[in-house]
Amino acid sequence: MSIYEINDICEYNREKAEAFIQKILKISYKEWFEELSSNYVPRVIQVSEIPQFSNFYIGTVEVVSLLRRLGDYGPTFNKIGNDLLGRGRNKIAYLKYGENHAKLAEQLGLVKTEKDGRVIKVFLSEVGKIFDGLDGEEKTEYLNKVILLMPIIYNITFSRQKIVIKEELMKYLSTSTAIRRGSNVKALMKRVVETYEGLVEVEKYVNLRG
């Protein structure tokens, strides 16, 4: 199994976070891919780990920036959604938008969540704090590498099997939910294919039309 687990990354202390980001930015794409591939063991997929979001940039760079601007006090999903969307939406829209994009950031090691009574609060992880200070190219490189650690992306990428994404998601989700989240998984896999094209034969493992 890969030595990197997203849940662990979210809880890294400052020293471990600095070492992890230093490695991510130093290692080549080819070396990173081969390291993960050589240690491949299929992940057990939890429904909550299958991403659903409207905008990848908002769910990563903007969520991290927002938490920093707010003072990292632990805003709720509703507050995050409100600040990201602006006025004119209903409470449910704010809640779901904030939840979906905060969870995407969490799945990439940038934030951590804590339950406080009936609400969940969102905080920057130590990795997220360092990520916020990186330049644009470094942020992109971090995301393009850590995306491979997301369990569903990890399994699809390294299984070396032809996979129809909707059918794969239907192992865990209802048909309607699989269709909704399928567009997000396809978008992430297309990002993987574009990033690693020419380095490894990613595309033959995945049917992105499914």
Side-chain angles (χ1 to χ4, degrees), residues 37-48:
S37 180
S38 65
N39 291 288
Y40 174 67
V41 175
R43 301 284 180 89
V44 176
I45 304 295
Q46 305 295 327
V47 171
S48 61

Side-chain angles (χ1 to χ4, degrees), residues 55-72:
N55 184 292
F56 184 79
Y57 182 85
I58 289 175
T60 54
V61 176
E62 284 297 321
V63 165
V64 168
S65 178
L66 173 63
L67 292 179
R68 185 249 308 154
R69 294 197 307 271
L70 292 175
D72 196 29

Side-chain angles (χ1 to χ4, degrees), residues 8-150:
D8 294 337
I9 293 168
C10 291
E11 297 296 333
Y12 279 174
N13 61 25
R14 186 72 179 191
E15 182 179 1
K16 286 185 176 180
E18 289 176 346
F20 177 67
I21 287 188
Q22 184 177 33
K23 172 169 183 172
I24 287 294
L25 297 180
K26 183 177 180 181
I27 194 170
S28 71
Y29 282 111
K30 186 176 189 294
E31 290 170 332
W32 176 244
F33 190 97
E34 289 177 347
E35 178 178 334
L36 298 183
S37 180
S38 65
N39 291 288
Y40 174 67
V41 175
R43 301 284 180 89
V44 176
I45 304 295
Q46 305 295 327
V47 171
S48 61
E49 294 174 331
I50 300 175
Q52 182 175 353
F53 57 92
S54 300
N55 184 292
F56 184 79
Y57 182 85
I58 289 175
T60 54
V61 176
E62 284 297 321
V63 165
V64 168
S65 178
L66 173 63
L67 292 179
R68 185 249 308 154
R69 294 197 307 271
L70 292 175
D72 196 29
Y73 71 87
T76 63
F77 292 147
N78 187 73
K79 169 63 175 173
I80 291 171
N82 193 305
D83 282 23
L84 291 175
L85 283 173
R87 296 181 179 180
R89 308 296 180 91
N90 61 48
K91 186 175 181 179
I92 297 300
Y94 289 133
L95 176 64
K96 294 307 296 180
Y97 195 86
E99 179 179 9
N100 290 343
H101 290 83
K103 284 185 174 179
L104 176 62
E106 185 175 33
Q107 290 164 357
L108 289 163
L110 301 173
V111 308
K112 55 186 179 179
T113 56
E114 297 179 10
K115 192 166 185 179
D116 184 8
R118 299 178 63 182
V119 301
I120 294 175
K121 295 185 175 181
V122 184
F123 299 88
L124 287 170
S125 67
E126 290 299 322
V127 168
K129 293 174 185 177
I130 299 171
F131 173 88
D132 186 53
L134 300 178
D135 65 32
E137 289 186 4
E138 290 171 331
K139 287 176 180 176
T140 297
E141 184 169 358
Y142 173 91
L143 295 172
N144 285 344
K145 289 176 178 173
V146 177
I147 196 175
L148 292 178
L149 300 180
M150 298 174 74

Side-chain angles (χ1 to χ4, degrees), residues 187-204:
L188 295 177
M189 283 308 307
K190 286 178 180 177
R191 189 182 183 103
V192 169
V193 169
E194 291 169 1
T195 299
Y196 295 92
E197 184 179 13
L199 298 176
V200 290
E201 295 181 273
V202 180
E203 194 163 17
K204 73 178 183 181

